[in-house]
């Protein structure tokens, strides 16, 4: 139950979700009840009224109203005459996000309180909690479950710690014993989720906020924060921060105050909402407050509360290129926009960085995948790349000259160290053998293209796992025996 890998926690104003952390570190059941007190059950009508009164939204990124999710599950269960399953999404697959892991490791009983309230109100058959296989939070959650009685059987399901594994449909598929990837066809969990039953699926912080609101009631819950977005939020502050932290603050708090607390210089831009979010300018950062409405005004989205100031010491577009490659590798590879479009977008961003592609080429590559995927992954990746073009105009002008901006790529945007693009093996070329036959680009066009001289070109990042069979086939079919595939630095 170690919390060594979890960032420190800070608060602006009185803590709610993070109450008791200073005194107890991790709250076991006794400490949890001492800090928060008990909570009684709610009827389904009371649950929906409470959620609507405080405008409780999903904290996993989409921000969908919680009371409408509950209503959809109730209607589906009545129509189908089937029992309900309650699912807690605590997978937090994005490398830049830590807020749910903070709750898992330090306040697991708040998550369980919220799930128990929902299960009791919906007369659910089961509670399922999804966690990642990264070793952070699972033991703490298991210990918390062992300390208490839940209103219905509760179990923990472990899923791969990948970007797309935390998507709601992917989590449901994983619980059902299927591959942990988004379904190719959009299916509402409220209609057919776990075991084909109506399923209430929401994020770990969302259930924790419900547990706080059930104790306080809507009036006291709304005593902090904005009138139309009451309560607190959890932000993960990383990037250039000298003191990275998960920060709990009331809605309406100026973002600049949070960044000052974490000693985080903005530099040329700040990413809000994570790798499916948007970049915003330093000017926008100086005026925005922490709220859905506040970030919408400056063209951003609060998403899951991921906040990454870039700072001044790293190459902005070089950082963007790293993440686009990672996102291309993290796709499910089950539709054209992911299999072909995202690798092409990554290659085009690479070309932009070295000055051999224009901004319009990146926009064109992003437009090909936007709105066409089987899930939201292509859209999110496109949004990330396009917003970078709008914010890092000075850096783009420097790279357009072909000499770059002169700054190293320091890896300020966090990626998994062991698999920066979904795999560990790279392609390389023995240039003493390559004759520019071009067959490899036809065998695996998702990763290899031909340059202006007809020779193979591909990114230096690892080959995505789902493209490894194609890479091996390209190596085996190379008539000059020039292509290599294995561990190493790679090269093109």
């Amino acid at each position: 139950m170690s919390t060594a890998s979890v960032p420190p926690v800070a608060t602006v104003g009185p803590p709610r979700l993070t109450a008791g952390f200073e005194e107890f570190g991790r709250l076991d059941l006794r400490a949890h009840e001492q800090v928060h007190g008990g909570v009684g059950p709610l009827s389904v009508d009371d649950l929906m009224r409470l959620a609507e009164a405080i405008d409780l939204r999903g904290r996993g990124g989409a921000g969908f109203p919680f009371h409408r999710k509950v209503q959809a599950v109730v209607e589906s269960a009545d129509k189908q005459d089937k029992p309900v399953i309650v699912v807690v999404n605590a997978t937090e697959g994005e490398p830049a996000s830590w807020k749910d892991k903070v709750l898992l490791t330090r306040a697991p009983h708040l998550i369980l309180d919220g799930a128990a309230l929902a299960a009791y109100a919906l007369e659910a058959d089961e509670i399922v909690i999804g966690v990642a296989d990264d070793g952070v939070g699972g033991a703490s959650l298991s210990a918390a479950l062992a300390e208490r009685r839940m209103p219905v059987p509760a179990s923990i399901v472990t899923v791969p710690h990948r970007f797309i594994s935390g998507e709601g449909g992917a989590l449901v598929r994983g619980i059902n014993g299927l591959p942990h990837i988004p379904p190719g066809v959009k299916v509402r969990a409220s209609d057919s989720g776990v075991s084909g039953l109506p399923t209430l699926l929401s994020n770990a912080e969302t259930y924790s906020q419900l547990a706080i609101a059930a104790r306080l009631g809507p009036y006291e819950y709304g005593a902090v924060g904005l009138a139309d977005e009451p309560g607190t939020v959890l932000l993960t502050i990383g990037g250039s921060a000298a003191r990275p932290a998960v920060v709990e603050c009331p809605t309406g708090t100026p973002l600049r105050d949070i960044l000052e607390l974490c000693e985080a210089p903005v530099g040329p831009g700040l990413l809000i909402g994570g790798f499916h979010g948007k970049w915003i300018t330093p000017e926008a950062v100086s005026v925005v407050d922490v709220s859905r409405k506040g970030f919408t005004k400056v063209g951003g989205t609060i998403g899951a509360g991921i906040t990454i100031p870039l700072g001044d010491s790293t190459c902005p577009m070089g950082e963007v290129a790293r993440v686009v490659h990672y996102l291309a590798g993290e796709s499910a590879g089950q539709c054209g926009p992911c299999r072909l479009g995202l690798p092409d977008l990554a290659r085009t961003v690479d070309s932009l960085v070295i000055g051999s592609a224009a901004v319009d080429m990146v926009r064109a590559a992003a437009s090909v995948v936007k709105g066409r995927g089987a899930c939201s992954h292509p859209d999110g990746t496109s949004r990330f790349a396009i917003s970078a073009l709008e914010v890092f105009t000075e850096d783009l002008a420097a790279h357009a000259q072909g000499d770059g901006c002169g700054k190293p790529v320091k890896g300020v945007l966090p990626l998994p160290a062991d698999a920066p693009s979904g795999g560990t093996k790279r392609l390389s070329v023995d240039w003493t053998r390559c004759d520019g036959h071009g067959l490899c680009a036809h065998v695996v066009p998702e990763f290899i293209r031909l340059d202006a001289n007809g020779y193979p070109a591909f990114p230096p990042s690892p080959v995505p796992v789902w493209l490894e069979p194609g890479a091996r086939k390209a190596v085996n079919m190379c008539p000059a025996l020039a292509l290599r595939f294995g561990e190493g630095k790679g090269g093109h």
Side-chain angles (χ1 to χ4, degrees):
M1 290 184 289
S2 171
T3 62
S5 59
V6 178
V9 173
T11 60
V12 175
R16 285 186 171 179
L17 298 175
T18 60
F21 284 13
E22 288 189 7
E23 297 88 343
F24 297 101
R26 175 188 179 275
L27 279 68
D28 61 15
L29 183 59
R30 179 177 295 182
H32 170 74
E33 292 177 342
Q34 181 178 332
V35 170
H36 294 289
V39 59
L42 297 173
S43 70
V44 69
D45 289 337
D46 288 340
L47 177 69
M48 286 192 288
R49 276 193 291 267
L50 173 64
E52 185 173 12
I54 65 171
D55 193 23
L56 180 61
R57 304 287 185 105
R59 303 299 176 98
F64 193 80
F66 185 78
H67 75 277
R68 288 173 57 187
K69 281 190 176 183
V70 176
Q71 181 66 46
V73 170
V74 170
E75 292 175 354
S76 182
D78 288 346
K79 182 178 180 180
Q80 301 181 53
D81 193 24
K82 291 181 178 179
V84 170
I85 306 295
V86 169
V87 172
V88 180
N89 189 346
T91 55
E92 204 163 35
E94 184 158 345
S97 187
W98 286 93
K99 67 181 182 66
D100 291 340
K101 292 181 176 64
V102 161
L103 294 172
L104 284 170
T105 55
R106 303 187 67 175
H109 286 286
L110 273 182
I111 301 173
L112 295 179
D113 281 351
L117 285 166
Y120 182 91
L122 289 166
E123 299 181 359
D125 269 15
E126 184 183 0
I127 296 170
V128 183
I129 308 160
V131 299
D133 64 358
D134 56 1
V136 181
S140 173
L141 186 63
S142 295
L145 278 172
E147 288 183 300
R148 60 187 288 164
R149 283 182 76 178
M150 297 292 282
V152 298
S155 61
I156 300 172
V157 171
T158 303
V159 307
H161 189 217
R162 288 191 60 197
F163 190 89
I164 61 169
S165 297
E167 192 269 342
L171 176 57
V172 169
R173 282 172 56 87
I175 294 170
N176 286 336
L178 299 171
H180 299 271
I181 60 175
V185 178
K186 181 67 174 178
V187 178
R188 295 199 311 172
S190 58
D191 292 332
S192 180
V194 174
S195 301
L197 300 174
T199 299
L200 177 67
L201 170 63
S202 205
N203 168 264
E205 185 194 344
T206 313
Y207 285 107
S208 299
Q209 292 282 1
L210 176 63
I212 294 293
R215 288 174 165 90
L216 298 178
Y219 180 78
E220 189 174 347
Y221 184 90
V224 302
L226 300 171
D228 55 350
E229 293 183 39
T232 65
V233 296
L234 291 179
L235 301 177
T236 305
I237 311 295
S240 66
R243 299 172 61 190
V246 170
V247 180
E248 182 179 16
C249 67
T251 55
T253 302
L255 181 59
R256 62 179 180 271
D257 292 354
I258 306 295
L259 298 178
E260 289 175 5
L261 177 68
C262 296
E263 299 176 13
V266 175
L270 178 143
L271 181 65
I272 185 67
F275 294 163
H276 277 180
K278 282 190 174 183
W279 292 96
I280 61 175
T281 65
E283 293 76 19
V285 172
S286 67
V287 300
V288 71
D289 63 50
V290 178
S291 64
R292 296 189 305 273
K293 183 184 295 184
F295 281 112
T296 299
K297 284 182 180 178
V298 297
T301 172
I302 195 168
I306 301 164
T307 309
I308 312 177
L310 194 61
D312 292 307
S313 64
T314 191
C315 168
M317 288 308 301
E319 295 281 352
V320 170
R322 290 174 60 246
V323 172
V324 174
H325 275 295
Y326 164 74
L327 293 174
E330 284 293 290
S331 81
Q334 63 180 339
C335 64
C338 276
R339 289 190 64 85
L340 299 171
L342 292 187
D344 182 62
L345 176 60
R347 285 192 297 265
T348 308
V349 173
D350 267 349
S351 298
L352 184 67
V353 171
I354 63 175
S356 63
V359 168
D360 286 347
M361 295 173 66
V362 176
R363 293 187 185 278
S367 68
V368 169
V369 303
K370 188 176 181 181
R372 298 181 56 226
C375 69
S376 63
H377 188 59
D379 285 0
T381 305
S382 172
R383 181 166 52 246
F384 170 85
I386 292 298
S387 69
L389 304 181
E390 296 167 349
V391 171
F392 300 130
T393 53
E394 291 186 11
D395 190 62
L396 287 168
H399 283 279
Q401 305 303 316
D403 297 326
C405 63
K407 295 179 181 179
V409 181
K410 291 189 172 182
V412 171
L413 300 183
L415 295 179
D418 58 340
S421 79
T424 59
K425 296 181 179 179
R426 291 171 166 83
L427 281 171
S428 61
V429 177
D430 181 348
W431 294 112
T432 64
R433 290 177 175 268
C434 183
D435 61 6
H437 187 280
L439 180 60
C440 57
H442 293 282
V443 174
V444 59
E446 300 95 335
F447 198 75
I448 303 175
R449 61 176 175 82
L450 299 181
D451 64 17
N453 297 311
Y455 286 91
F458 45 83
S461 55
V463 176
V465 172
W466 52 271
L467 287 179
E468 287 184 359
R472 293 190 184 93
K473 184 177 180 180
V475 169
N476 293 335
M477 295 183 66
C478 178
L481 304 179
L483 201 59
R484 306 282 187 268
F485 180 58
E487 306 289 341
K489 294 182 178 180
H492 61 288

